[in-house]
Amino acid sequence: MSPVRSPSGSPPNSYVRRLRVILIGALALALSVACSTSANSPGAAGGGADASTVTIVTPDTSIVWALDNGFGGYEPGKNLQATLLRKPYIDAKQGAGVQQQDVYKYEPYLASGYDVSPDGRTYTFHLSDAKSAVGNTLSADDVLWTYQRRFHTSTSVIPGVMAPSLTDPATQIKKIDAKTVSFTLPQAGLGTTFLALMSDLCGEIYDSTLLKQHVTADDPYAVKWSAQNPNFGYGPYTVTDYQPGVSAVLTARTDFILGPLAVKKINIRIVPDPGTRANAVKNGDAQIAEAVNPADSAALASDPSVVAPKVDNPNTFIMMPLVTNKAPFNNVAVRQAMAYAVPYSQIVDNVYRGLAKRNGPGFLLNDAPGYSNAGFPNYTYDPAKAKAMLAQAGFPDGVSFALAVSAAEPDMQEAAVQIQTAAKAAGFTVNINKMPAAQFAQQRVDHSSQSFILRDYAITLTPPYELLVYTGPGSTNNFADWQYPPFYDALAAGNKLPNALSPEAGKMWNAAEAIYLNQSPIVFIAQVQPSVLVSKSVAGYAWTSDNWIDYKNLRPAAG
Amino acid sequence: MTVLLQIPPAPSAPAARRRLPPGVLSLALVPAALLVLVALVGPLVLPYSPVDVVDKPDLLPGAAHWFGTDASGMDVFSRTVAATRTNLLIGLATTVVATAVGVLIGLVVGMNEAHRGPLGLLARGTSRALDLLQALPAIVIGLVLIAFFGASVPSLILALSLILMPNQARLVRAEVLRVRGEAYLDAARMSGESELVLVLRHVLPNSAWPAWENTSLVFGSAIVLTAGLGFLGVGLPPPAPEWGSMIAIGAPDAASGRWWSALFPAIALALTVFAASAVGRRLFGDD
Amino acid sequence: MAGLWAHHGWWIRRLAMLPVHLVLFAVIVFFLVKLIPGDPVAVLSGGQTMTPEQYQAARAALGLSGSLPAQLGTFLGRTATLDLGNSVISGTGVLSEMLTRLPETVELAVLAMVVSLVLTLVLGFLVMLRPRALVSRTVASYSRAAGALPDFCLGVAGIFLFYSVLRWAPAPIGRYDPLLNAPTHTTGFPFLDALLSGDAVLMRSMLAHLWLPVGVLVVAYAPMLIKLFIRSLQQARDAQATTFRIASGASRSMVLLSITRRALPATVAMFGTIFGFMVGGAVVVEQLFAIPGMGEYAVQAVTRSDFVALRGFLLVVGFLSLLVFFFVDVVTMLLDPRRRSGAAVTGG
């Protein structure tokens, strides 16, 4: 039937024999090559029996290895890097091996120490002899070059994050000698925020000796190269296998500056379904699950083999920005009424199953030294009051508006549904506008929706930073497009004081935040616990202000 | 997604197809009739509001909530019933639009393909483009279109019609090419009928039947595609009741043992597609 | 020479049309992808603060400046040199990502299609030869409702039943146990690589992880093949040619063979369509079982408005589908030479 008929009779025997020899040879070669490199010995798949390996299941966060090459999942990348300073860990009240960062202490890490000048504006860092993943020793040039790169790359988010502490590295950062480098700030009051920044992502220092070898005319800071070659840091782990969208394997370094690590291998697996991630930890197929649904965490709360970490003061907030550049939320009374129409406790109970809490109406963490959250408006769910306020503001028949929510965040959609139902009684008609994550990001940036609901956090936890993170004039991060001079004046008054964590400064922050909340551009709904599940076989999960897990702190649980 | 643009093999001759005996209400039509009844009457007799939080989340099916409550605390029974209207509306409207537009395009392309000049070129180009569209996964085209138009009932109908129309057009075009050569057309032409009348009176009735017979499949595909888009997160915005979004929201819960919020809409979905194919079989003897 | 052309012209002509179709296709894809809303720069920066200059620079770097025809020209030129660009979000090369994902997806599709094919043939003949048997009637009625149970429902139910309750299947978190080493990269097809490297442990783990997703695909899609095959078999059986053969005293096996040969073309066409679909559209099974493949890539590209990635995906999947359609056409024309002269029977 084939149109290409084989010639009658069988082909010459020698041909067949030769073909057979070639085939067998090729197969044997493939077998021998393959066996020698990666064969798994029987019994290797013990389901997590090896205590020095931790398997983490996570949704696809589109891992970004270089902070200045876009915004994405930084967690694996963060564990390849080390920062000049770090915030120490303390045990959480919950116990069970759960820890949390003390966000107001800044200890040496890559820097062996730092001095502050008498005027409080210049910080001089003394560098340790940390070795990079490829064996280069840390130097002042690394620090200088790293900040040069970050401030001269169009895809870098760092300049926006570090303003106003650091705006011009060329004049603000000075190399004193090969192991000493100084940073000069515009005013002393920014010092605490600066130290916090140097303990977070912005404090990561890259191996400039390695990166400079891969600089090209198109890529003057080797940003593109480093996106594909992640091992350019001084941190605890190196990437030994990476398949985008599938898995990553991180292996512990033996010459890491803080000494040997308890967990030798981190196995990251991308698992899109949240229910499956939770189940995998419950059944012992993985040790840590990330981005777990609150309902699943709550359902597993009584499971003896799993712990859902609860920390004292999580920094992730559910918030509802009310965009002030258009009706109806250009009217402050309508914004305030909305703050009385949100069913706070219902969201905490129904959506987060108790894995969230409301410490008052504000956004500043209430445990900051010198600060108090007293005297703010008492926003609670009070539909009658909201309705009366709306009527007084000239809307006796109520108000209708669009609430944008990202399709990628199921808990936000659930919260939106709770708000929609509850706000009806207050005269608000909420039209939920679910959209793809990219479209949501765009509307957030250009402030085009009437309102949003989202989950977000400030990485740097100092009062002045938190106050400015969603209110910066002209900032894309100013969700509500709210620019209010009296608030900026109050903030500036606080920044004039030399110590941001002093009681005097605390009063200033309280006054500024009172303006913020009375104007109600953003309804802060509740603080959400970390959305992770940890197997009891692993200890040392620590909440961090960036909410990315610090692998070097993990260890097999005792017993 | 179980959505394929299925092409039923053309029966040997149109004369061979069976016609529905008038006045016969077959047993096969009962499920479909029931569904239409639920869609029409259901929303009037719901025990709870289908778009509001009415109780604690994740309640097991019981006396108060026959199908339980979902993760938000909405009543699954009320939502499943209310969704019938939405899903049937999308399915029916898509079938009508896709078939009408498909028949029109198939006619125009088929009649003009052999012409010289720009019209023929355009027709041949359209014909190739329709073929090429088949090479793209429908669900991805749907994602792009919905992402662009935004998710609402009209935009879903529009996007699904765009996805399902090319196949209808292809079926009609193939038939037009066959009919075009028939002797009775030449006879009609010679008797002085205008080209438009010719097409409407002779070509259309004789070439639209494969698209007509394919409608039950188009309907089923529309229902499943809607649900598929809902599952991928681009369905109607919450809390609009729609089976696909309900299954999508319930799926992670089902994986952890709370099966009810996904199961009931899934059953409703399967029943509907089944009922549609039963109607198709009854009407067209398509076995 | 003329004889050769007469014999082979039909498929050579069909082959020659492929590049033309590809160019047309690339143009369609370009405009389709232009529809994706959302600002890739906003996604890229995660909504962090950017100055207008930074914003413009980022747009230019993504190739979003310039007029539409100019953008189309650049796109076609690059595509012609197999340069599919870099993902807007991750910065990785789209082609290289396709080359790692495609074999994995194709392998899954091939496994599912092989099982489906065997099932179709066996059950199809069973229904034709023993139409009254219970199995036959069950199969016939399930296949009649083909597509009524979408793959996402089957997948969710399968995981719930076989993983959560019965624990017959391992955790649906990938192709093999996370603690095992990946197979040596020889062909890019994971199971084939494991086979080639003689790694029995890995192979066993892969089989354990694959049976459920493959099963879901088969249960979801095989009914369409079976339905079509049964119908074609019945039509072929009732055709005059068959009556003639039986009357002329041909052996039972000869009659069966002839029926099969006439019933297959439609089924082969459907086979091609389903295969093409699985390569690009089996998103849900990929998501549920954490088997990252082509479909998932496309969904992510849309939600992150990664237009470069989506364009690359559509081109690759479209090219592959055109290739599959080509082979399907050739096979149907081989089975039924009458089809050779007429219009192409792409997908049908």
Side-chain angles (χ1 to χ4, degrees):
Chain A
M1 267 211 279
S2 154
V4 192
R5 282 172 209 285
S6 54
S8 55
S10 54
N13 267 334
S14 63
Y15 173 72
V16 168
R17 211 173 293 137
R18 209 184 310 143
L19 192 71
R20 204 181 290 152
V21 169
I22 291 172
L23 273 179
I24 292 174
L27 197 67
L29 189 72
L31 277 176
S32 61
V33 168
C35 286
S36 55
T37 49
S38 88
N40 290 289
S41 56
D50 184 5
S52 67
T53 298
V54 165
T55 300
I56 299 178
V57 284
T58 162
D60 191 355
T61 54
S62 69
I63 295 175
V64 171
W65 297 110
L67 185 56
D68 35 19
N69 190 41
F71 199 84
Y74 288 145
E75 182 177 295
K78 165 185 137 166
N79 283 285
L80 312 180
Q81 303 293 341
T83 47
L84 281 177
L85 302 174
R86 63 182 185 136
K87 297 182 262 193
Y89 296 120
I90 51 174
D91 288 339
K93 283 191 197 118
Q94 186 187 20
V98 176
Q99 293 196 301
Q100 59 190 32
Q101 250 177 353
D102 179 349
V103 296
Y104 307 108
K105 282 213 181 87
Y106 316 105
E107 293 185 345
Y109 187 0
L110 282 183
S112 53
Y114 66 89
D115 312 315
V116 191
S117 66
D119 68 354
R121 285 181 53 213
T122 302
Y123 287 75
T124 307
F125 293 90
H126 308 283
L127 304 178
S128 70
D129 287 326
K131 291 266 186 285
S132 78
V134 295
N136 294 322
T137 308
L138 180 68
S139 73
D141 291 326
D142 287 339
V143 179
L144 258 62
W145 195 82
T146 301
Y147 285 97
Q148 232 173 46
R149 162 172 150 146
R150 287 176 179 163
F151 277 74
H152 289 99
T153 302
S154 67
T155 46
S156 171
V157 298
I158 306 269
V161 175
M162 295 200 79
S165 302
L166 190 65
T167 49
D168 182 16
T171 58
Q172 288 180 266
I173 309 179
K174 278 205 187 72
K175 174 180 173 181
I176 311 286
D177 61 43
K179 297 299 264 184
T180 318
V181 64
S182 76
F183 289 72
T184 305
L185 309 180
Q187 60 192 95
L190 295 168
T192 312
T193 303
F194 171 71
L195 290 176
L197 284 168
M198 299 315 274
S199 313
D200 294 319
L201 296 174
C202 298
E204 289 174 356
I205 303 300
Y206 303 151
D207 179 353
S208 66
T209 319
L210 171 71
L211 290 173
K212 278 177 189 163
Q213 292 164 7
H214 298 281
V215 161
T216 63
D218 281 349
D219 192 14
Y221 289 99
V223 175
K224 288 193 181 115
W225 182 85
S226 55
Q228 312 294 330
N229 301 274
N231 296 322
F232 55 90
Y234 290 92
Y237 287 89
T238 56
V239 181
T240 45
D241 181 57
Y242 174 48
Q243 297 172 43
V246 185
S247 64
V249 177
L250 271 59
T251 305
R253 283 178 52 197
T254 50
D255 53 353
F256 172 55
I257 180 81
L258 298 181
L261 300 156
V263 174
K264 305 294 182 204
K265 192 169 148 190
I266 303 281
N267 220 323
I268 301 166
R269 276 296 176 113
I270 311 274
V271 176
D273 188 71
T276 303
R277 291 196 293 271
N279 262 338
V281 172
K282 176 186 152 218
N283 293 334
D285 296 307
Q287 282 70 54
I288 298 178
E290 297 181 344
V292 176
N293 283 343
D296 291 334
S297 288
L300 292 176
S302 55
D303 193 298
S305 59
V306 176
V307 58
K310 281 190 187 177
V311 299
D312 302 351
N313 215 353
N315 62 333
T316 306
F317 275 80
I318 321 161
M319 60 185 91
M320 185 178 170
L322 310 172
V323 184
T324 62
N325 61 15
K326 60 177 93 58
F329 294 120
N330 53 1
N331 183 332
V332 64
V334 179
R335 298 202 296 267
Q336 287 165 341
M338 190 64 227
Y340 284 106
V342 174
Y344 301 98
S345 59
Q346 217 175 318
I347 291 176
V348 169
D349 295 339
N350 285 4
V351 181
Y352 289 96
R353 319 291 162 108
L355 289 169
K357 59 178 174 180
R358 180 166 168 82
N359 288 336
F363 176 63
L364 270 57
L365 292 195
N366 58 6
D367 59 1
Y371 162 83
S372 128
N373 66 351
F376 295 150
N378 178 29
Y379 293 135
T380 47
Y381 178 57
D382 189 344
K385 182 167 184 175
K387 199 163 190 152
M389 290 176 78
L390 272 187
Q392 216 166 25
F395 299 98
D397 302 327
V399 162
S400 164
F401 67 92
L403 174 62
V405 56
S406 162
E409 300 193 352
D411 52 338
M412 288 301 99
Q413 292 170 44
E414 281 179 35
V417 171
Q418 303 285 341
I419 293 174
Q420 186 186 48
T421 300
K424 264 180 204 164
F428 283 102
T429 307
V430 183
N431 305 310
I432 300 176
N433 192 3
K434 184 180 75 168
M435 53 185 78
Q439 210 177 342
F440 186 82
Q442 182 180 14
Q443 297 214 351
R444 219 174 84 165
V445 166
D446 60 22
H447 323 299
S448 49
S449 178
Q450 285 171 307
S451 66
F452 303 94
I453 184 158
L454 53 99
R455 205 176 345 92
D456 199 40
Y457 53 87
I459 293 182
T460 304
L461 295 171
T462 63
Y465 186 90
E466 291 165 271
L467 283 171
L468 197 60
V469 66
Y470 304 131
T471 59
S475 160
T476 48
N477 234 349
N478 189 335
F479 303 142
D481 202 8
W482 178 68
Q483 312 194 21
Y484 191 59
F487 170 73
Y488 296 131
D489 294 344
L491 190 60
N495 275 330
K496 284 212 179 73
L497 297 174
N499 182 359
L501 298 180
S502 63
E504 302 79 55
K507 285 199 189 71
M508 297 292 194
W509 309 139
N510 178 287
E513 196 182 4
I515 300 174
Y516 195 179
L517 299 179
N518 274 313
Q519 285 286 313
S520 194
I522 301 177
V523 180
F524 296 101
I525 297 172
Q527 287 167 263
V528 190
Q529 292 290 353
S531 59
V532 295
L533 270 180
V534 185
S535 160
K536 285 249 173 80
S537 66
V538 172
Y541 165 80
W543 164 79
T544 56
S545 67
D546 55 25
N547 286 286
W548 292 305
I549 300 174
D550 187 354
Y551 303 155
K552 71 176 186 296
N553 200 48
L554 299 174
R555 58 183 190 280
Chain B
M1 231 66 18
T2 321
V3 173
L4 290 164
L5 304 170
Q6 295 189 41
I7 305 145
S12 34
R17 72 205 142 111
R18 275 189 263 160
R19 287 224 170 260
L20 178 69
V24 173
L25 183 68
S26 153
L27 210 63
L29 300 181
V30 170
L34 273 179
L35 272 170
V36 173
L37 190 73
V38 168
L40 291 177
V41 184
L44 308 175
V45 296
L46 294 179
Y48 296 97
S49 156
V51 293
D52 283 316
V53 177
V54 294
D55 210 327
K56 292 252 167 303
D58 290 337
L59 292 179
L60 262 164
H65 301 281
W66 297 343
F67 292 176
T69 59
D70 68 6
S72 296
M74 296 194 276
D75 184 60
V76 178
F77 175 77
S78 304
R79 286 174 64 71
T80 308
V81 170
T84 311
R85 182 179 281 187
T86 320
N87 284 63
L88 286 194
L89 176 71
I90 294 175
L92 285 173
T94 302
T95 310
V96 170
V97 175
T99 305
V101 177
V103 167
L104 186 72
I105 293 187
L107 266 182
V108 172
V109 168
M111 289 307 290
N112 291 304
E113 222 172 276
H115 287 203
R116 286 168 197 281
L119 202 62
L121 201 67
L122 192 70
R124 283 193 294 276
T126 312
S127 166
R128 286 329 291 171
L130 290 177
D131 284 350
L132 290 174
L133 273 177
Q134 304 280 112
L136 291 177
I139 194 74
V140 177
I141 305 185
L143 262 175
V144 173
L145 291 176
I146 292 297
F148 178 68
F149 292 127
S152 66
V153 172
S155 77
L156 273 170
I157 293 171
L158 187 65
L160 294 178
S161 302
L162 273 173
I163 294 170
L164 295 168
M165 175 275 289
N167 197 41
Q168 297 290 64
R170 278 160 48 105
L171 288 173
V172 174
R173 168 192 162 261
E175 224 24 54
V176 170
L177 291 184
R178 192 182 60 77
V179 170
R180 212 177 45 187
E182 300 275 335
Y184 59 81
L185 278 195
D186 291 335
R189 243 184 225 115
M190 273 184 276
S191 73
E193 279 189 33
S194 80
E195 199 68 9
L196 184 69
V197 174
L198 187 93
V199 168
L200 288 181
R201 278 184 60 180
H202 300 292
V203 184
L204 179 65
N206 283 298
S207 54
W209 61 269
W212 174 236
E213 292 194 349
N214 199 33
T215 46
S216 75
L217 257 172
V218 171
F219 176 82
S221 302
I223 295 277
V224 174
L225 257 178
T226 312
L229 289 171
F231 190 87
L232 292 177
V234 296
L236 297 176
E242 190 277 311
W243 293 330
S245 326
M246 290 176 70
I247 298 171
I249 293 169
D253 291 337
S256 354
R258 298 181 297 278
W259 45 268
W260 52 90
S261 57
L263 180 69
F264 293 108
I267 291 176
L269 180 79
L271 279 180
T272 307
V273 179
F274 194 84
S277 80
V279 170
R281 271 204 310 284
R282 185 71 203 99
L283 289 180
F284 311 116
D286 160 37
D287 232 342
Chain C
M1 200 58 211
L4 202 67
W5 179 251
H7 271 108
H8 298 294
W10 56 276
W11 66 267
I12 295 174
R13 229 170 313 169
R14 182 75 182 72
L15 183 67
M17 279 310 280
L18 260 184
V20 181
H21 290 174
L22 270 177
V23 174
L24 241 174
F25 189 74
V27 176
I28 295 180
V29 163
F30 177 81
F31 286 104
L32 185 68
V33 168
K34 276 275 156 212
L35 294 179
I36 318 183
D39 183 353
V41 178
V43 183
L44 200 60
S45 64
Q48 297 296 317
T49 308
M50 276 181 133
T51 63
E53 296 81 46
Q54 264 189 326
Y55 184 81
Q56 284 310 327
R59 267 189 91 76
L62 292 174
L64 284 171
S65 42
S67 69
L68 201 62
Q71 286 184 31
L72 175 63
T74 332
F75 165 66
L76 288 179
R78 286 189 187 163
T79 307
T81 57
L82 279 185
D83 174 10
L84 298 185
N86 291 329
S87 154
V88 171
I89 306 303
S90 65
T92 46
V94 172
L95 189 65
S96 72
E97 188 128 345
M98 293 282 115
L99 289 179
T100 55
R101 280 182 186 244
L102 192 62
E104 307 204 356
T105 305
V106 167
E107 189 178 86
L108 189 70
V110 166
L111 285 175
M113 288 318 282
V114 168
V115 178
S116 301
L117 185 68
V118 172
L119 265 182
T120 302
L121 290 177
V122 170
L123 295 177
F125 280 115
L126 190 74
V127 170
M128 186 182 66
L129 297 175
R130 302 256 180 287
R132 306 219 168 273
L134 183 68
V135 188
S136 302
R137 274 184 291 172
T138 319
V139 168
S141 58
Y142 180 70
S143 67
R144 237 179 260 138
L149 275 179
D151 54 0
F152 52 91
C153 294
L154 289 169
V156 171
I159 290 177
F160 174 65
L161 188 65
F162 294 111
Y163 172 60
S164 300
V165 179
L166 296 173
R167 307 239 42 197
W168 290 359
I173 54 173
R175 288 182 161 265
Y176 46 87
D177 193 289
L179 295 179
L180 294 176
N181 297 323
T184 322
H185 191 94
T186 323
T187 59
F189 295 93
F191 190 71
L192 193 62
D193 279 352
L195 196 75
L196 282 176
S197 58
D199 193 334
V201 177
L202 187 62
M203 258 161 58
R204 211 170 312 132
S205 179
M206 279 189 176
L207 283 178
H209 281 77
L210 278 179
W211 75 263
L212 190 54
V214 168
V216 166
L217 285 175
V218 168
V219 175
Y221 297 107
M224 299 185 191
L225 282 174
I226 298 176
K227 174 184 173 183
L228 198 60
F229 189 54
I230 292 176
R231 190 160 56 173
S232 316
L233 276 179
Q234 284 165 346
Q235 276 177 359
R237 183 193 59 196
D238 300 341
Q240 283 177 348
T242 311
T243 326
F244 175 76
R245 261 174 212 266
I246 296 173
S248 66
S251 72
R252 189 180 159 82
S253 56
M254 280 306 289
V255 173
L256 269 185
L257 193 71
S258 125
I259 290 178
T260 313
R261 192 177 150 177
R262 269 171 298 131
L264 269 180
T267 316
V268 169
M270 177 60 103
F271 189 85
T273 312
I274 296 185
F275 184 82
F277 163 80
M278 274 192 193
V279 169
V283 195
V284 176
V285 167
E286 289 171 6
Q287 282 203 344
L288 284 174
F289 291 91
I291 303 174
M294 299 291 286
E296 211 208 341
Y297 189 75
V299 172
Q300 297 231 341
V302 175
T303 55
R304 293 175 184 166
S305 61
D306 189 341
F307 65 98
V308 181
L310 184 65
R311 234 157 40 183
F313 161 85
L314 289 174
L315 281 178
V316 171
V317 167
F319 174 68
L320 213 75
S321 296
L322 290 181
L323 219 58
V324 170
F325 290 170
F326 168 71
F327 284 115
V328 162
D329 280 0
V330 171
V331 171
T332 32
M333 289 189 238
L334 280 178
L335 286 169
D336 185 357
R338 280 174 307 168
R339 294 179 188 238
R340 286 182 199 174
S341 50
V345 286
T346 315

